[in-house]
Structure formats: C-alpha cells, structure tokens
Amino acid sequence: MTIASPSSSSTREVLRPVTGMACASCVRRVEKALGKVAGVQAASVNLATEKATVMFDAEVASVERMRAAVEKAGYSLGEQPAELPTMTPGPVVSVEDAHDLERQREVDDLKRKWTASLGAGLVMMALMYLPLNIPMDVLAPVLLIVATLVQFWAGAPIYRAAWAAARHGSTNMHTLVAVGTTAAYGYSAFVTLWPRLTTEWGFPQHLYYETAVIIVALILMGRWLEARAKKQTGAAIKALMGLQARTARVVRNGVEQDIPIESVQVGDLVRVRPGEKVPVDGVIHEGHSALDESMLTGESLPVDKDPGDQVIGATLNKTGSFVFRATKVGKDTALAQIVRLVEEAQGSKAPMQRLADRISEVFVPAILVLSALTFVGWMVLYQGPEPRLTLALQAAIAVLIIACPCALGLATPTAIMVGTGKAAEYGILIRGGEALEGARRINTIVLDKTGTLTRGKPAVTGLIATNGITESELLRLAAAAEVGSEHPLGEAIVARAREQGLELPPAEHFQAVSGRGIQALVDGRELLLGNQKMMESYGVHLDGLVQRADELARAGSTPMYVAVAGQAAGLVAVADTLKPESRDAVEQLHALGLDVWMLTGDHRATAETIARQVGIEHVLAEVLPDQKTDKVRGLQAEGRSVAMVGDGINDAPALAQADLGVAIGTGTDVAMAASDITLIGGDLRGIVIGIALSRKTVGVIKQGLFWAFAYNVVLIPIAMGLLYPLFGVLLNPVLAAAAMAMSSVSVVTNALRLRGFQRPTYAAGMRGTVNISPS
C-alpha cells in the first residue's frame, strides 16, 4: 500500500513503532486493524522496520483509537512516535541512540536465551542417547525440570506473542511454534509424571524434551541472526544522520561565535573555514571556495562556489573561507529532507509484496489445520511396526515448525531497505518500493534538454542586427524586456547586456506568450522577442533572417527574433552548453537497452544538432510546455514504458504522467515532488545507477520470494511424511526448526548483498551490456 499525500488541512500522517509482529501475517492483521478505525485513510506496516505509517483525518481519528485497535489485534503501537528526523543533534541523537540501544538489548537477550537453550538441549540429548546407564525414572524428572525452565524462560516471548494473538481470535508464527513445542513438552511431561497411566492407555514411553528445547533454541537463534542482519539494513539512515555538523560559527552583531546547530536561525550569517562542514543550507554572502558534495550528490569532484551560489548543509568546505546566509535550518535542510525520503522509502512496499501479504493472511490457520490432518492421517492410515502415536506426533510437530511465513514477510522490505539506502549513497533518492519496481520495466527514456542534458545556464553567442539598428541597441532593447525574467535564455541576454555596461530602460506591459516568447513596451515602442511562430502571429516580416536563424540553429544555438514597432530588428543567438557527462550518460542508457528521446521547445535544427552531439537519435522538438505531457502520453500509447527526466516547473505534469518520473535535484521543488526518483546532483549518470540498482533489487526480491515459497512447497509435504513410504524417512522436528530459522536468515542475508552494489560498467556502443553485478 502506498501512502498518498495529505489531501486536506485536517489530514495527518504519523509514523509509529509496532511491537509483537513476527511474520507477514502479523503485518496484514495490524494493517487491517488500523484500516477499520474511523477516519484512517491509509495504513502501511513494514515488518523489517517494525513501523506503521498511518494517514488519517485528525478530526475523526486519534492515535489513542489506533492504539486500542492494534492492541485488540494482539500487538502494540508504540507510545513514543517514531518521528522523522528534525536534524537537530540533541533530541534526534537521543531518540536514535535509544532506539539503537533497545535493538541491541533485544539482540543480546536473544543471544543469551538461544545459547543457554541450545546448550541445555545438547546436554539433554547426550544424557538420553549416550550409553550412560542412567535409569529413566531418575533421568526423566531431571529432564522435566530443565525443559520447564527453558520452555518458560527462553520461550516466554513466543508464548506471550501466541497468547496475545489467541486472546483476539487470531494466529501468527508464534502460534505454530508454541503449539508444536507445547505438544512435544506436554506429552513428555505426561509420560514423566504419570508413567502408569501412559502404560495403561497404551501410549509409547517416549520423551521429547530435547526436541522441544532445541526447537526453542533454534527459533531464537534464527530471530537473533535475523535481528542482527536487520540492524545492518538501517545503516544508510545512520550514515546520513552522521553527516550533519554539530556546531555552526555564526556572525551576530559583528561577533563570531560557535553555537549548536539547532540554534541557527534563518537569516543568520555563518562562516565556514577550510576543512569544516557546512552546518545548514544557505546562499554564499561573501568569499569563494570549492565544496566536496560527494556525500550527498555522489559527485566526486569539488564544486566551485561564488557569492550568490547555494550551499548544502553537511557538505565539506575544501579550500577558502566564506560567509553564507542561512536559508533552511532543522527539518527543512536538504539533508533532513533526504533522510526523511530515504526512511519513507525504506518503509514502503513493492507491489509484488501484496501477493505474499494475501497468502500469509490465511497461511497460519491453514497450517494448523494441515498439522491436525497430518496427525489424524498417521493415526488412521499407518499400519507399520513403529508406534503410530510417536510418528503422528512427530509429523504434526514438524509441519507446525517447518511452515513459518517469516521469510515471505521479510523478502521484500529488507531488499527495499538496503536498495534505497544504497541508492542514497550515490545521491539517488528512490521514493519507494513502487518506484523501485517500476524502474526495472522502463524501456524508453525522455530527457528534457534544458537543465538536464545542458547546464541550464545559456550564454549569448551572437547578435545579428538589421533595419538600421546596431547590435548594441538590439541587445539593450532585448535585455530591457527580459529584466526580471526567470527563463534561462532571458537571464543570459540580461547578463550579456550588464557585462557590456548597457543601461536598461524599464519595460512596461510585459506579457509572456507560452512557448513562443514575450511582448513588452520599451522606450515607448512595442518589442517582440521570441521564435518564428511568435513573429508570424504578429505579422512581422522576417526577410532574410529566417535563413540566418537556420544557420545558427544548425550550429547548436537557439535563435530568437527581435521586432521593434512591428518591424524585424534582428536575431539574438543563445547557446546552452552541454554538461560534460551528458554524452557518457546517453551511451550508458543505450547500453542498458533503453530507447533514448530528447524533448525540447527549441527549433528542430537546433534540437537535432544537440541530439547528435550527445548521441540521441529520437528528437521531439518545438514542444510547448503544455504539450510535454501529451508527448509522453503519445509514447505510452505505443506500448512503451516511459521514464521522463526533467528539472523545471513545466516538467512536473510530464513527470507525473510518465511511468517513472526522474527529477534533477538541482531543479525545482515542484519537479522533485512530482517525481519517483530524484538525482540530488545534476549528473545524468545517476539515472543509469538508479535503473541498474532497481533491476538488481527487484531481482533480489524475486529470489527471496521464490525461495520462501519454494521452501514451504517442498518441505511441508516432507514434514507430513511424503518420504516415509518410499525411504522410511520422517523429518525430525529439530531439523524442521533449523530449516525454518535458516530460511528467514537466508532471505535477509541475500538482501544484504545489495550493500556491495557498485556503479555499473558497460562497453561503449554496445546495447544491453551493462554489468549490474552487486559485487
């Protein structure tokens, strides 16, 4: 289930820890319990993180009602909210440390109990099966005492969880283990305490103390290994939290002072010296430096920063000293947003998990019935020399113990946790399991040109004046109309005019014509600045300028026509230079087997020139902003699975329409909000890493689900006694417990392999040759 964005002012979202869950069936029950609370709009529970994300109407629902519903289902909703980080050292560090300490205490407690239980079980086995000549009437009471201690000390958490579920009419993994071990322990205790009755009723004089004890030990050992592995899946969040600075050197009233980072306020001037971390987000006020942003963006080369440039909190100042003005602090900083997005992604579900959830909902009750039928079947059908009660009991217990849905519940969330955490190390934010799974199906990728393939900071490359207007006058008039424009082409014209020291008159009646250009009144004359369609719509005769414009376009520049008082005044040529990594990124996308398209509002000749420079064959040119979505929809109508990459506000609808939206993190917040994947830096090669990692992660999820299903499909019939008629082999419950424990551990361990994922390599010019091996 994907948690949607809040739709009204009263809608709230909380993230709370859930205790008592053991398997996927538990997850399903908690989600159902929360979903039945009036006012709850959506609830998603993650077994790996042991947290519930709930969206609800605060005017109708309350956390207290949710807690009551969860407790009624047999689980507990944490008292303290598992809040997303505020990125202030004091409270966040203490909360995180408390959570880590609690996890460590759980790991240590499990280790003590399984080692003690296993030791006791092995000693009991030795006493029973080695030729020590100890009379059974002496040995049995001793075994009863030891087994009772283990059963109700080490096995206490299992019994509590099973009882909590039973009180509310439900079952879980603990139910299977509790019933199985109780049957073995209870029968043995009956034989020990009432031996005469056992003989009179014809029951075999067999003891299963060591079976019950070792089963408890192996179950707890499996949980211990699982808990240790799950701790490692959260390493990405801990690493990100560790990036933040602890103090900031603030300049107040002309005095520099070091203060805790949580005391920094928006508007403060902060000095950063060489070798120090930038404490919060801001804009450089004075000074120059080069910053290492690799810890957030994945880009290894330092980035030069000058006055007016943005700096990101947690990045490292390499060279000069500078002063910047804080613009975002606390939970609003880029690092805090990244941590929150990663944590939300790690708590999400992939669509393929839904099948496992549906199966697990009926799995445990079905196994209880199957175990009972196995017992009855052996008692009715077995005609051999062995005591039928012994075989029936052994088979029924083996079925209960072997059939654990833990692996089903852990296969997807653990892989998503590790995969999204690994992506964050490369500066890639994957919104969640749905985006992760969707990325692998992409076969077509559409790249917006400006700000994606290019730097997004064009410069004037040529001026052509006509009808008696000088180049200087042409530039002055065009720049006057573009003053205050946020369009990159307009900013380039204004920047060139100011470089030449031109005085720009004020423009009046400014009007932007979407996808065509602008209209304004400058020096009392109507000025038009835009493309050929703009001029034609106003009836401006372009004479020989069209040919000159085509020449500029073929050279890779964007020609813009200028008309003054209804007459053509000339051309302003602007070029947006390509990012140095663009061609390499396109080659790697081809190597992934993707069909690459470029989308731009530029003249076709200009667009095709740029496309050739980066190796793109398919071009969508002269596309108006409101047509981008239609172009994406058109490709989808051809049966393509389309990814759209962009960075501007006008890209947001197309990003939302695409099967996968990828936003360049250097772009706008609107574009990032509409995207499924965000590249924190501007390096397009991050798309290659993101898609390759998503394919690898989904592959690991499939492996986990396959082995979880296969494990049960193959071993449950064996536990029932399928091999006994052929080979005389019946699965020992102790071996069943070991196999069950290892199934969960193997799934989590397999997911942890993703931590070794490395940037993919490819053979230039060869499609479909990307190596996405995790090691």
Side-chain angles (χ1 to χ4, degrees), residues 378-521:
W378 276 94
M379 293 297 293
V380 172
L381 300 176
Y382 180 70
Q383 300 297 329
E386 296 288 330
R388 69 176 64 186
L389 180 61
T390 298
L391 296 179
L393 193 61
Q394 182 175 331
I397 292 172
V399 170
L400 289 170
I401 300 302
I402 199 76
C404 173
C406 286
L408 282 177
L410 289 169
T412 299
T414 50
I416 289 176
M417 284 184 72
V418 181
T420 52
K422 190 65 183 179
E425 293 180 19
Y426 285 109
I428 304 162
L429 300 182
I430 300 176
R431 190 167 291 275
E434 210 159 318
L436 199 65
E437 189 173 334
R440 73 183 176 93
R441 292 193 291 266
I442 296 302
N443 55 38
T444 301
I445 188 161
V446 179
L447 304 175
D448 183 62
K449 189 205 75 170
T450 305
T452 302
L453 287 167
T454 63
R455 296 180 184 274
K457 293 184 178 180
V460 174
T461 56
L463 294 164
I464 298 174
T466 187
N467 289 333
I469 292 181
T470 64
E471 290 185 0
S472 179
E473 179 69 2
L474 178 71
L475 179 61
R476 186 181 76 88
L477 292 173
E482 290 281 15
V483 169
S485 171
E486 294 182 357
H487 194 285
L489 301 183
E491 291 177 348
I493 294 171
V494 174
R496 171 58 69 87
R498 285 178 173 159
E499 283 175 11
Q500 295 186 3
L502 300 178
E503 291 190 13
L504 307 181
E508 300 174 328
H509 305 296
F510 178 91
Q511 181 180 354
V513 182
S514 179
R516 297 193 174 185
I518 62 171
Q519 176 189 18
L521 202 63

Side-chain angles (χ1 to χ4, degrees), residues 29-30 33-34 67-75 164-166 168-170 172:
R29 287 192 185 88
V30 175
L34 288 168
R67 181 177 294 112
V70 172
E71 288 176 353
K72 187 176 180 181
Y75 307 92
H168 300 99
S170 64
N172 55 29

Side-chain angles (χ1 to χ4, degrees), residues 605-633:
T606 304
E608 289 180 347
T609 298
I610 293 172
R612 281 194 300 272
Q613 291 174 4
V614 294
I616 294 177
E617 300 169 5
H618 309 290
V619 179
L620 299 170
E622 300 177 17
V623 179
L624 300 177
D626 57 357
Q627 295 175 338
K628 290 184 177 182
T629 304
D630 293 334
K631 295 297 182 183
V632 171
R633 194 178 289 119

Side-chain angles (χ1 to χ4, degrees), residues 111-362:
K111 185 178 181 180
R112 279 193 301 271
K113 287 179 176 177
W114 81 257
T115 51
S117 302
L118 186 60
L122 293 175
V123 171
M124 292 168 75
M125 188 177 290
L127 290 173
M128 288 185 66
Y129 296 108
L130 290 179
L132 301 177
N133 298 320
I134 302 176
M136 188 54 64
D137 57 347
V138 175
L139 180 61
V142 174
L143 297 179
L144 172 62
I145 294 170
V146 175
T148 303
L149 290 173
V150 171
Q151 199 76 13
F152 298 104
W153 168 67
I158 297 172
Y159 278 95
R160 278 197 297 267
W163 174 244
R167 279 191 305 119
H168 300 99
S170 64
T171 56
N172 55 29
M173 180 211 87
H174 291 119
T175 305
L176 299 178
V177 178
V179 172
T181 56
T182 300
Y185 168 81
Y187 181 84
S188 302
F190 178 76
V191 170
T192 301
L193 296 174
W194 295 282
R196 186 172 298 175
L197 271 180
T198 307
T199 304
E200 290 176 3
W201 291 354
F203 288 169
Q205 299 286 319
H206 290 171
L207 299 179
Y208 299 98
Y209 289 124
E210 86 290 350
T211 299
V213 169
I214 293 178
I215 286 174
V216 168
L218 292 175
I219 297 298
L220 294 178
M221 182 180 71
R223 285 183 55 189
W224 171 70
L225 291 170
E226 184 185 306
R228 285 182 63 197
K230 281 163 66 176
K231 274 187 66 180
Q232 297 177 52
T233 62
I237 291 287
K238 199 168 182 67
L240 285 170
M241 293 290 291
L243 291 176
Q244 62 180 329
R246 297 303 179 195
T247 61
R249 193 169 186 81
V250 176
V251 183
R252 291 177 178 169
N253 300 320
V255 178
E256 295 185 6
Q257 52 183 316
D258 290 324
I259 63 172
I261 191 174
E262 66 267 25
S263 300
V264 178
Q265 300 175 359
V266 173
D268 276 343
L269 291 176
V270 183
R271 181 176 296 282
V272 182
R273 293 166 294 192
E276 293 181 338
K277 287 183 178 180
V278 178
V280 295
D281 297 358
V283 176
I284 292 184
H285 180 66
E286 62 180 55
H288 308 267
S289 188
L291 268 64
D292 179 0
E293 298 181 341
S294 61
M295 62 284 295
L296 294 181
T297 67
E299 297 174 4
S300 56
L301 295 177
V303 181
D304 291 331
K305 299 289 183 178
D306 299 307
D309 288 339
Q310 291 186 339
V311 292
I312 306 172
T315 55
L316 183 63
N317 183 26
K318 300 289 287 185
T319 55
S321 175
F322 63 89
V323 176
F324 74 94
R325 190 175 298 279
T327 57
K328 292 181 180 179
V329 300
K331 63 182 180 181
D332 297 323
T333 63
L335 180 60
Q337 302 288 339
I338 290 167
V339 171
R340 184 168 67 251
L341 283 171
V342 172
E343 187 161 37
E344 287 175 351
Q346 290 187 338
S348 68
K349 289 186 178 181
M352 64 177 66
Q353 174 67 20
R354 292 168 192 158
L355 174 63
D357 286 350
R358 286 196 296 271
I359 291 174
S360 65
E361 188 175 10
V362 297

